[in-house]
Amino acid sequence: MKPAILVTRAVFPEILQLLSQHFQVESNQEDVIFSPPELVTKLQGKQGVFTTASARFNAELLQQLPDLKMIAQMAVGYDNIDVAACSAHRVMASNTPDVLNETTADFGWALLMATARRITEAEHWLRAGQWKKWSYNGFLGADLHGSTLGVIGMGRIGQAIARRSMGFDMKVVYHNRSRLDPEQEARANKARYVSKDELLRTADHVVLVLPYSAASHHTIGADELAMMKPTATLVNLARGGIVDDVALIAALRAKTIAAAGLDVFENEPKFHPDFLSLENVVLTPHIASASEATRRAMAGCAAANLIAALGGERPPNLLNPELWPKS
Ligand code: GLV
């Protein structure tokens, strides 16, 4: 008999088709968001789950799921999965790294440019019928070319963002848990490793691409915002919670930094309503990886991990390798 799996959210139909060749699939094309108790009920008797980052897998949930063997997540970030608890319950977990690096880096630049050059603010003004004449000082923004880009979190996506800055003749400084090797630094537009404080003081544009964890919670708060240049922009592509949104709202309101571009928020999809009253912030609904090709690739990657794991093969993106080889 085929193993039973749950697909927690709506997904591309061809992925459901692929999964149903291998599994008995319970799908959710109505895209209902399951509460934790509903998830526990739905997962009874299931050996696998194809999930997105909107479901939380912690010890409390896992101990109620004795049949579960594999959590295949369609996202690179996996702060919603307690990997140590998974290992303790002998549940494998996987994510979808690499397939989204370039698309996410493209979007980082789109958000950075929209923020620095005030594109959405200007468009709202135009749509509101306020464009009566050209003016010498209309929507003056900050240049990208020739400026200093600061990247916090210099993993694969951070490096792809830094590489793109060569075309804008920019300098790159970065901060990361560990320093890159010299070849990687050279490829990332000769990125220079600096302390977080030096980065915040010297960068004209700060981009956040670090994973969320207890250690990275509020990496950018009131003190860090106060170190930034008043002309600086801040872009968060990573996860809500890395920035203290209340402190950011205060800084944007007081214009102690020029502007922010945010694709992620604390408690999303809810977000602090005060962002809506600010003109100097560009807001997008967690879409950095959302190109047609990349979202299909992410779904395919998560499916491949699930098929491998429940078929007795090592999943290519296993997050808890200590569970392999299986004892
Ligand atoms: C998106 O945020 C992801 O982690 O893939």
Side-chain angles (χ1 to χ4, degrees):
M1 202 162 81
K2 291 177 183 170
I5 66 155
L6 174 71
V7 180
T8 62
R9 298 288 309 277
V11 74
F12 299 105
E14 74 269 18
I15 295 295
L16 284 184
Q17 231 169 22
L18 170 67
L19 291 171
S20 50
Q21 288 167 21
H22 299 263
F23 309 119
Q24 285 174 259
V25 179
E26 180 173 341
S27 61
N28 175 19
Q29 292 302 75
E30 309 76 35
D31 214 25
V32 175
I33 305 281
F34 301 134
S35 66
E38 283 167 342
L39 199 55
V40 169
T41 306
K42 293 264 173 202
L43 281 170
Q44 290 310 312
K46 306 284 193 312
Q47 278 118 51
V49 57
F50 179 113
T51 186
T52 67
S54 52
R56 190 154 288 283
F57 291 88
N58 53 23
E60 194 189 331
L61 193 106
L62 292 166
Q63 71 202 8
Q64 301 174 72
L65 302 172
D67 299 315
L68 192 66
K69 293 193 169 62
M70 171 67 177
I71 300 169
Q73 167 134 305
M74 180 184 153
V76 64
Y78 53 90
D79 49 282
N80 58 311
I81 300 174
D82 181 339
V83 178
C86 286
S87 298
H89 286 86
R90 306 205 66 71
V91 175
M92 291 178 275
S94 64
N95 67 339
T96 59
D98 293 324
V99 291
L100 46 52
N101 294 348
E102 302 302 322
T103 295
T104 304
D106 287 352
F107 186 85
W109 275 89
L111 193 52
L112 174 54
M113 296 182 85
T115 303
R117 295 299 306 274
R118 303 172 63 177
I119 288 175
T120 56
E121 183 188 353
E123 188 188 352
H124 289 147
W125 182 83
L126 176 151
R127 284 178 184 266
Q130 297 190 64
W131 190 19
K132 307 290 183 223
K133 56 186 189 310
W134 180 90
S135 59
Y136 76 97
N137 62 351
F139 297 102
L140 300 181
D143 279 324
L144 277 299
H145 72 269
S147 67
T148 297
L149 176 68
V151 180
I152 302 186
M154 197 59 140
R156 290 161 291 206
I157 298 171
Q159 291 170 49
I161 289 174
R163 265 200 327 274
R164 283 161 171 71
S165 72
M166 288 183 202
F168 289 86
D169 207 12
M170 291 168 84
K171 292 194 189 69
V172 177
V173 289
Y174 76 98
H175 186 69
N176 198 42
R177 270 175 306 191
S178 53
R179 191 172 168 173
L180 302 184
D181 66 44
E183 252 176 57
Q184 288 174 312
E185 288 184 348
R187 276 201 302 274
N189 194 11
K190 303 195 190 85
R192 192 163 66 83
Y193 184 72
V194 295
S195 68
K196 183 171 104 177
D197 289 5
E198 183 179 344
L199 183 148
L200 293 169
R201 290 200 178 94
T202 56
D204 298 301
H205 306 286
V206 176
V207 179
L208 305 172
V209 220
L210 64 167
Y212 180 76
S213 66
S216 67
H217 182 72
H218 288 186
T219 293
I220 302 293
D223 293 346
E224 289 75 18
L225 290 159
M227 286 181 211
M228 292 173 65
K229 298 181 184 183
T231 49
T233 62
L234 176 71
V235 165
N236 187 5
L237 283 183
R239 276 288 182 275
I242 288 176
V243 175
D244 176 346
D245 285 351
V246 170
L248 177 59
I249 286 164
L252 290 169
R253 191 169 279 139
K255 302 222 162 72
T256 58
I257 68 167
L262 305 174
D263 189 45
V264 287
F265 303 86
E266 291 191 294
N267 308 315
E268 67 181 56
K270 294 198 186 101
F271 57 88
H272 199 299
D274 286 8
F275 279 126
L276 296 178
S277 63
L278 293 167
E279 284 172 342
N280 52 348
V281 63
V282 179
L283 308 168
T284 53
H286 203 146
I287 55 168
S289 65
S291 76
E292 174 89 32
T294 291
R295 283 285 169 86
R296 286 186 192 278
M298 290 166 70
C301 177
N305 278 301
L306 193 50
I307 292 165
L310 297 187
E313 305 284 328
R314 184 188 165 119
N317 308 111
L318 184 62
L319 292 169
N320 39 3
E322 64 275 20
L323 294 189
W324 202 270
K326 292 186 285 180
S327 51

